[in-house]
């Protein structure tokens, strides 16, 4: 899936939901990183990717609600 921007410059909600899903999946992996045999470079890449995914949500005005684990619009 690619990031398709509307003429207004916002990201399609389906893409934002996919990004949120990716963050949740990656954070599950990074929460149990000791179970995986990766080196420091891989761990740094993983954390970089998570930060970039969060940036997509945050610059679009969204976050993941920690109580419901769902995508939520941030108040302006």
């Amino acid at each position: 899936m690619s990031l398709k921007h509307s003429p207004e410059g916002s990201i399609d909600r389906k893409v934002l939901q996919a990004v949120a899903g990716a963050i949740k999946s990656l954070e599950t992996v990074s929460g149990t990183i000791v179970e995986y045999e990766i080196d420091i470079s891989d761990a740094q890449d993983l954390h970089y990717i998570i930060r970039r995914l969060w940036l997509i949500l945050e610059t679009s005005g969204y976050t993941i609600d920690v109580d419901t684990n769902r995508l939520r619009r941030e108040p302006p």
Side-chain angles (χ1 to χ4, degrees):
M1 181 181 293
S2 63
L3 294 177
K4 294 184 178 179
H5 296 276
S6 71
E8 298 82 37
S10 62
I11 297 175
D12 182 59
R13 182 161 177 82
K14 287 183 180 184
V15 173
L16 291 173
Q17 290 172 327
V19 167
I23 290 170
K24 293 174 199 173
S25 296
L26 288 172
E27 287 185 342
T28 299
V29 170
S30 65
T32 58
I33 205 77
V34 258
E35 296 176 17
Y36 299 90
E37 293 182 20
I38 64 172
D39 61 23
I40 191 70
S41 174
D42 293 330
Q44 290 170 339
D45 289 344
L46 176 65
H47 293 293
Y48 172 78
I49 290 165
I50 291 173
R51 285 193 311 269
R52 298 294 297 175
L53 288 168
W54 270 109
L55 184 63
I56 291 170
L57 290 185
E58 291 169 351
T59 57
S60 298
Y62 285 87
T63 189
I64 298 174
D65 187 308
V66 293
D67 295 324
T68 63
N69 206 22
R70 302 186 113 176
L71 191 61
R72 185 185 75 197
R73 187 94 161 124
E74 281 289 322

